[in-house]
C-alpha cells in the first residue's frame, strides 16, 4: 500500500469529511489528521506511527467487536474502540497531500571521527547495550553471541529486565546488556523508564540499535532519538532475510552514511552477519569507522529555534548535560517527558526554559494546528520517510497471505474463542496423556536404582534417608519432568509463533471488563509455566493499577509445579477423564482470577488509564533449535530445583517424620487399644500379633513425629475438607515449592520413589483405619485447594519485589488461602452429591 508522504511545515491540508478512526469499516483506509487523546496514550500512538498524514487501513474487529486491528506502515496494530475514537481521520479520496523532503544537518561542532588513529583506547573491554523495539530480535542476538538461553517470544514484552552476558571477539571482551524492548526513549512505561535510566547511569561504550529490516519506518523512530542522544552506535539490520524475500532493495551503506551510523545486515536467529557486526562495533569503539558522524535531524524552524535556545542554555550547566546531549534533553523537555522534566526542575534556569516552551507551544498550535510532541513526531517520521525514499526501492512489505489467512480464523468472531479453547485443551491432553509414557520410563529407571540401594546397602538411618528421604522425595517428583516439558513446548510454540499476541487481542474485551488490559492475558498464560517470570513480565503493562492487579491474580494460574500433584491424583482417581479435569482446574484458576480482578478494580484500584496499543507481529514458524533450547532451559531449571530446593526439603521432611524414634514399649496401651478399636475386622483376622504391633508402632511413630504433630495441629482447620494430617503437612511444605507436596506425600505414605505405588496407596484403605487417604471427592477438593492457596516463597518474593511493598505479598498469602478453603469446601460438597 502506498503511504501518504509526510506533510511539511508549511503545507496545511483541510478536510471537510472528518471522521474517527473507529468509524472505518473492514478494508477502508483513512488518513490521520489529528490525535485527540492525552498523556501516555497520545505519546504511545504517535511513537508507533499514528501521525498526521499517515494512511491507516482497518482490517477487522475482534470477536467481541473490540479491539480493532489496523494496518499501518506495513505492520499491524490493535487499538481499543475507545482509543480509536480519539484519532481523527480524513477520507482517503479527499486527501491529496504532497510530501516533504529529507532534512539532514551535520553537527558543525562535531568533527568527523576516524580521521586519526592515535586516540585509540587501549583497554580490551567493550560495554554494549542492545536497544530496539519489542519483537525486533534483540534477545535472539543476545542468545547467539553470549550463549545464554533467554526465551525469545514473538510478542512485545518478553524481555522484562536487563540481561547481561559476555563473549570474546578478536581480543576484546564484550559485556552485552539486553535491555527491554521500547518504542521510544520516553518515560511513560516501565521499559522506557528502565532504558532511559540505564543510558543515563551506565553510559555503554557502544549501542547496538536492533531494527527489523522489513519494517524500518516504524523501527527507526527510536533510532532518531538515539541519534539525538549522540552516543556511539551501530545499527543491526536484523531479519535481513525477510527484506531479501520482499521486492524491496535497500542501500544500507548509503543509509548509514546519511544517518552517520554504520548499518550491518544480520539474521540473528542463524548468526549470519553477526561477526561483521561485532567487527563494526570494534571500529566504532576505536573511532575508526569512516561512516560515523553526528547529525542533527532537522525539525520545524520554530521548533528548531526553541531547541537551539534551550541547547545553548543547557550547555552552560555541565551537570545538566553530563549524561545526555543538550539537544536530546531540549527535545525531550519540549515534549514534556516526565523523567527529563523531573531532572530539570531543581535548576535555577527552569523558569526560563518553561517560558521558552510555553511560547513555542502557543506558536506551534497557532501556526501548525497541533501540539509540539505531535509536530516533533511528524518531523521525525518525515525524516525517516525521506531517508528511505533515497535509499530504498520497492516495498519492504511482504505479502503476508499466511498471516491474513490464519488471522481470519484465530481472531474471527466465530472461530477465535473455540480455537483458543481447543488449543488449551490439546495442551493439557498432551501434557497428561503423552507425558505418561516417558514418565513410566523414568519411573522404571529410578525404581531400578532404588532396588540396587535397597539390596546392597546395610539397614540403618542412612539407608532410610537415601531411600525414603532423597530418592522417595526427589525421585517422586522428577518423574513428572516430561509432563512439564510438554506444557512448556506448547507455551513456547504459542509465544514464538505470534499466536500469544492474538490471544491478547481476542481477550482484550473480556480483560477490559475485568478492569484490565489485553496485555494482562500474556502474563496469565505465562503463569501456566511458572508464576515467577510471569509476575516479572507484568512490566509490559503501562498502567500501575493494571500491573498490580495482574501481579495479584497471577498465582491463580496453575503453574507447572502443580502438574505433579494433578498427574498423581488425576491418574489415581480420574484416569479416564484426565484432560477434562486438567482443563477444568486451569479454567477454574482463570475464573477465580477474573473474579478477583473485578473485586480489586471495584474496591481497591479505582482508576485505570491504560490504552490498548499492542503490536500484532506476523506469524513466524518457530525453529526447532529455539523450541528445543527453551525446553532444555526449563528442564535445566527443573533439574536444578530437584538437586537443590526439593532435595533439601525432602531431607528435612524425612527427618521431621523420622524423629524422634520410638520402640513398641513407648507406645501407650491406651493408644494401642484405640488403634485396634478402629482397625478393620479383616486386618485383625489376617494379621498376627507381631504384624499388628508393627503397624501400631509405625502409626505411632508417624503421628508423634515432629511432622505428625504439626499436621495434627492444623488438621482441625482442614477436617471439613476431608483431609488427613498427612495431606495437611504436604500443603504446608508446598510453600517451599509446590512439587514438594508430592515429595511429602511420597515420604509419608510409601517411603520410596514409586509413583505408581503412591498412586495406589492414596486410594487404598488403610489396614489400620480402614479408610483411604483420599476419595475422589476429597482428591478433587485437595487439587482445588492446591490450585488457589498461597503461592510458593519464590512467587511471594516476586510479588513483593514487583509490587514494591510486603503488604501485597501478605494480601496474596491470606486472601488466596481463605479463598482456597472456601472453594475446596464447595468442591467437596458438590462432588459428594455425585
Amino acid at each position: 500500500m502506498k503511504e501518504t508522504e509526510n506533510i511539511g511545515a508549511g503545507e496545511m491540508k483541510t478536510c471537510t469529511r472528518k471522521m474517527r478512526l473507529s468509524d472505518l469499516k473492514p478494508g477502508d483506509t483513512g488518513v490521520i489528521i489529528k490525535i485527540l487523546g492525552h498523556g501516555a496514550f497520545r505519546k504511545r500512538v504517535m511513537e508507533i506511527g499514528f501521525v498526521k498524514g499517515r494512511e491507516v487501513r482497518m482490517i477487522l474487529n475482534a470477536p467481541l467487536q473490540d479491539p480493532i486491528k489496523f494496518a499501518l506502515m506495513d505492520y499491524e496494530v490493535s487499538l481499543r474502540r475507545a482509543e480509536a475514537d480519539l484519532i481523527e481521520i480524513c477520507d482517503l479520496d479527499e486527501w491529496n497531500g504532497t510530501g516533504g523532503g529529507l532534512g539532514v544537518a551535520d553537527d558543525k561542532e562535531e568533527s568527523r571521527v576516524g580521521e586519526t588513529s592515535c586516540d585509540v583506547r587501549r583497554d580490551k573491554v567493550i560495554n554494549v547495550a542492545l536497544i530496539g523495539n519489542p519483537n525486533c530480535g534483540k534477545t535472539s542476538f543476545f542468545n547467539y553471541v553470549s550463549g545464554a538461553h533467554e526465551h525469545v517470544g514473538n510478542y512485545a514484552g518478553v524481555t522484562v529486565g536487563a540481561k547481561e552476558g559476555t563473549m570474546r571477539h578478536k581480543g576484546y571482551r564484550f559485556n552485552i546488556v539486553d535491555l527491554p524492548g521500547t518504542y521510544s526513549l520516553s518515560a511513560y512505561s516501565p521499559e522506557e523508564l528502565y532504558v532511559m535510566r540505564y543510558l543515563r547511569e551506565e553510559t555503554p561504550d557502544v549501542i547496538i540499535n536492533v531494527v527489523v529490516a522489513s519494517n524500518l519506518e516504524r523501527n527507526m523512530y527510536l533510532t532518531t532519538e538515539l541519534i539525538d542522544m549522540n552516543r556511539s552506535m551501530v545499527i543491526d539490520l536484523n531479519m535481513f532475510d525477510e527484506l531479501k524475500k520482499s521486492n524491496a532493495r535497500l542501500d544500507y551503506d548509503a543509509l548509514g552514511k546519511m544517518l552517520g551510523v554504520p548499518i550491518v545486515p544480520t539474521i540473528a536467529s542463524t548468526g549470519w552477519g553477526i561477526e561483521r557486526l561485532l567487527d563494526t562495533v570494534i571500529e566504532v569503539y576505536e573511532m575508526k569507522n569512516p561512516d560515523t558522524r553526528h547529525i542533527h535531524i532537522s525539525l520545524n524552524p520554530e521548533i528548531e529555534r526553541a531547541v537551539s535556545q534551550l541547547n545553548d542554555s543547557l550547555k552552560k550547566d555541565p551537570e545538566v548535560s553530563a549524561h545526555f546531549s543538550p539537544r536530546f534533553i531540549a527535545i525531550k523537555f519540549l515534549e514534556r517527558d516526565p523523567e527529563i522534566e523531573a531532572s530539570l526542575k531543581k535548576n535555577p534556569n527552569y523558569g526560563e526554559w518553561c517560558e521558552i516552551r510555553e511560547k513555542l507551544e502557543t506558536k506551534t498550535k497557532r501556526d501548525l494546528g497541533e501540539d509540539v510532541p505531535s509536530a516533533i513526531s511528524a518531523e521525525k517520521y518525515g525524516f525517516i520517510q525521506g531517508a528511505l525514499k533515497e535509499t530504498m526501492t520497492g516495498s519492504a512489505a511482504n505479502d503476508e497471505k499466511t498471516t491474513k489467512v490464519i488471522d481470519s480464523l484465530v481472531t474471527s468472531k466465530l472461530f477465535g474463542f473455540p480455537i483458543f479453547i481447543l488449543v488449551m485443551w490439546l495442551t493439557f491432553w498432551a501434557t497428561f496423556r503423552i507425558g505418561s509414557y516417558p514418565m513410566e520410563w523414568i519411573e522404571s529407571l529410578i525404581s531400578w536404582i532404588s532396588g540396587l540401594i535397597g539390596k546392597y546397602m546395610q539397614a540403618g538411618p542412612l539407608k532410610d534417608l537415601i531411600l525414603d528421604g532423597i530418592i522417595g522425595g526427589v525421585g517422586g517428583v522428577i518423574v513428572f519432568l516430561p509432563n512439564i516439558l510438554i506444557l512448556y513446548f506448547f507455551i513456547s510454540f504459542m509465544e514464538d509463533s505470534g499466536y500469544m499476541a492474538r490471544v491478547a487481542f481476542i481477550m482484550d474485551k473480556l480483560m477490559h471488563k475485568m478492569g484490565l488490559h489485553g496485555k494482562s492475558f500474556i502474563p496469565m498464560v505465562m503463569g501456566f509455566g511458572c508464576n515467577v517470570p510471569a509476575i516479572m513480565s507484568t512490566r509490559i503493562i503501562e498502567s500501575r493499577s493494571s500491573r498490580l492487579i495482574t501481579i495479584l491474580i497471577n498465582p491463580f494460574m496453575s503453574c507447572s509445579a502443580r502438574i505433579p500433584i494433578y498427574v498423581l491424583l488425576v491418574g489415581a482417581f480420574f484416569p479416564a477423564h484426565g484432560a477434562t479435569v486438567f482443563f477444568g482446574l486451569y479454567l477454574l484458576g482463570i475464573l477465580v482470577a477474573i473474579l478477583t480482578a473485578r473485586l480489586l478494580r471495584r474496591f481497591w484500584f479505582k482508576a485505570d488509564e491504560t490504552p490498548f496499543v499492542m503490536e500484532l507481529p506476523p506469524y513466524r514458524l518457530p525453529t526447532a533449535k529455539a523450541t528445543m533450547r527453551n525446553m532444555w532451559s526449563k528442564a535445566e531449571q527443573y533439574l536444578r530445583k530437584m538437586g537443590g530446593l526439593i532435595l533439601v526439603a525432602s531431607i528435612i521432611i524425612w527427618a521431621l517424620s523420622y524423629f524422634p524414634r520410638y520402640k513398641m514399649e513407648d507406645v501407650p496401651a491406651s493408644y494401642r487399644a484405640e488403634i485396634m478399636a478402629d482397625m478393620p475386622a479383616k486386618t485383625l483376622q489376617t494379621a498376627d500379633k507381631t504384624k499388628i504391633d508393627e503397624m501400631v508402632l509405625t502409626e505411632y511413630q508417624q503421628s508423634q513425629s515432629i511432622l505428625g504433630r504439626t499436621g495434627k495441629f492444623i488438621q482441625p482447620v482442614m477436617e471439613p475438607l476431608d483431609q488427613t494430617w498427612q495431606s495437611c503437612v504436604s500443603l504446608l511444605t508446598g510453600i517451599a515449592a509446590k512439587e514438594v507436596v508430592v515429595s511429602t506425600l511420597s515420604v509419608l505414605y510409601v517411603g520410596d520413589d514409586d509413583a505408581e505405588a503412591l498412586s495406589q496407596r492414596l486410594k487404598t484403605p488403610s489396614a489400620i483405619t480402614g479408610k483411604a487417604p483420599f476419595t475422589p471427592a476429597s482428591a478433587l477438593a485437595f487439587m482445588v485447594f492446591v490450585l488457589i492457596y498461597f503461592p510458593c516463597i519464590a512467587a511471594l518474593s516476586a510479588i513483593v519485589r514487583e509490587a514494591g511493598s510486603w503488604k501485597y505479598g501478605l494480601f496474596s498469602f491470606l486472601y488466596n488461602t481463605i479463598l482456597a478453603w472456601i472453594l475446596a469446601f464447595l468442591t467437596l460438597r458438590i462432588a459428594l452429591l455425585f
Side-chain angles (χ1 to χ4, degrees), residues 457-474:
M457 192 170 181
Q458 190 173 3
L462 181 60
K463 180 179 179 180
D464 292 340
L465 168 62
I466 294 173
L467 288 177
D468 301 342
I470 297 175
I471 296 180
V474 176

Side-chain angles (χ1 to χ4, degrees), residues 63 405-427 494 499 502-503 506 583 619:
V405 170
I406 297 174
D407 271 353
S408 67
L409 293 174
V410 301
T411 62
S412 71
K413 184 176 181 179
L414 182 61
F415 299 109
F417 286 109
I419 288 174
F420 173 64
I421 292 171
L422 177 63
V423 168
M424 296 309 295
W425 185 89
L426 178 64
T427 300
M494 286 190 287
Y499 178 64
R502 271 67 183 184
V503 171
I506 66 174
F583 183 74
Y619 288 101

Side-chain angles (χ1 to χ4, degrees), residues 715-792:
Q715 187 185 13
V717 178
M718 302 296 289
E719 202 164 1
L721 307 184
D722 196 18
Q723 301 301 313
T724 62
W725 69 261
Q726 289 94 335
S727 64
C728 294
V729 167
S730 71
L731 291 169
L732 191 62
T733 58
I735 194 168
K738 292 298 180 277
E739 298 97 334
V740 179
V741 171
V742 174
S743 299
T744 306
L745 292 174
S746 183
V747 168
L748 292 176
Y749 278 120
V750 295
D752 61 35
D753 60 285
D754 194 339
E756 183 59 37
L758 176 59
S759 178
Q760 196 65 35
R761 175 68 184 89
L762 295 181
K763 60 184 178 181
T764 303
S766 167
I768 297 176
T769 63
K771 295 180 180 179
F774 287 97
T775 64
S778 66
L780 205 55
F782 185 83
M783 286 188 287
V784 169
F785 193 89
V786 166
L787 167 69
I788 305 298
Y789 85 131
F790 55 74
C792 67

Side-chain angles (χ1 to χ4, degrees), residues 79-94:
L79 296 177
R80 286 194 186 127
R81 188 169 293 277
E83 272 83 47
D85 198 49
L86 296 175
I87 299 177
E88 197 172 84
I89 63 171
C90 180
D91 184 80
L92 181 61
D93 293 334
E94 186 182 359

Side-chain angles (χ1 to χ4, degrees), residues 674-681 683-684 692 695-696 767-770:
E674 184 181 337
I675 291 294
M676 292 188 66
D678 293 334
M679 199 172 288
T683 303
L684 293 172
I692 290 175
M695 288 190 289
V696 170
I768 297 176
T769 63

Side-chain angles (χ1 to χ4, degrees), residues 441-502:
W441 305 335
I442 296 175
E443 189 177 75
S444 299
L445 175 62
I446 295 175
S447 295
W448 177 74
I449 295 171
S450 181
L452 286 178
I453 294 173
K455 182 178 180 180
Y456 293 106
M457 192 170 181
Q458 190 173 3
L462 181 60
K463 180 179 179 180
D464 292 340
L465 168 62
I466 294 173
L467 288 177
D468 301 342
I470 297 175
I471 296 180
V474 176
V477 176
I478 202 171
V479 295
F480 301 103
L481 176 62
N483 308 91
I484 292 169
L485 290 181
I486 291 171
L487 176 66
Y488 270 112
F489 170 81
F490 278 91
I491 293 177
S492 175
F493 188 87
M494 286 190 287
E495 291 175 343
D496 296 351
S497 65
Y499 178 64
M500 194 73 83
R502 271 67 183 184

